[in-house]
Amino acid sequence: MTDSPTADAPVAIDGVISELAGPWQPRDLVIANDTVVRVARFEGEFPWHEHDEDELFLCWDGSFRIEMDGRSSVELARGDLFVVPRGVRHRPVAATTAHGLLIERPETLQYGN
């Protein structure tokens, strides 16, 4: 996939998932309206972090939870969507393998900014 994927052809998300290098290594699917749609494999616990912008999670398959500092955790199953507000310290956690789509700005750093 190129550094700046565009929506000039359909993206087979399940195909991209099968090619993921490993957990917590997201891959950009497409850029639209100054945002990037990424897919990642979730396994275990990701480090705590926060962003200067909102981060959208869509559970593609399996299930995972979003733990947030000072807030209740949110459980996501296939088809569930949740937005972590900017500035909220959080981490995704998956007891078993799951996949999720993330919608964020292209410059968003994986471990927070």
Side-chain angles (χ1 to χ4, degrees):
M1 184 153 292
T2 65
D3 289 340
S4 299
T6 60
D8 58 355
V11 176
I13 296 171
D14 288 330
V16 175
I17 285 172
S18 72
E19 297 172 354
L20 289 173
W24 312 118
Q25 298 179 40
R27 182 143 163 214
D28 292 359
L29 297 174
V30 67
I31 293 175
N33 297 323
D34 300 322
T35 61
V36 63
V37 178
R38 295 182 166 125
V39 64
R41 181 182 318 149
F42 298 178
E43 289 180 12
E45 300 175 348
F46 192 75
W48 286 96
H49 63 285
E50 61 187 73
H51 302 286
D52 295 334
E53 61 276 328
D54 299 336
E55 184 175 22
L56 184 147
F57 290 87
L58 170 64
C59 182
W60 184 258
D61 63 28
S63 64
F64 59 91
R65 73 180 175 276
I66 306 294
E67 296 179 348
M68 295 172 284
D69 198 17
R71 299 178 184 217
S72 296
S73 296
V74 174
E75 298 281 341
L76 300 178
R78 181 179 176 85
D80 290 341
L81 171 72
F82 182 74
V83 176
V84 176
R86 69 184 51 129
V88 173
R89 192 168 174 257
H90 65 283
R91 68 176 181 174
V93 177
T96 59
T97 301
H99 295 93
L101 300 182
L102 300 92
I103 300 177
E104 53 200 6
R105 294 181 183 159
E107 64 271 13
T108 297
L109 302 175
Q110 185 176 11
Y111 292 93
N113 31 355

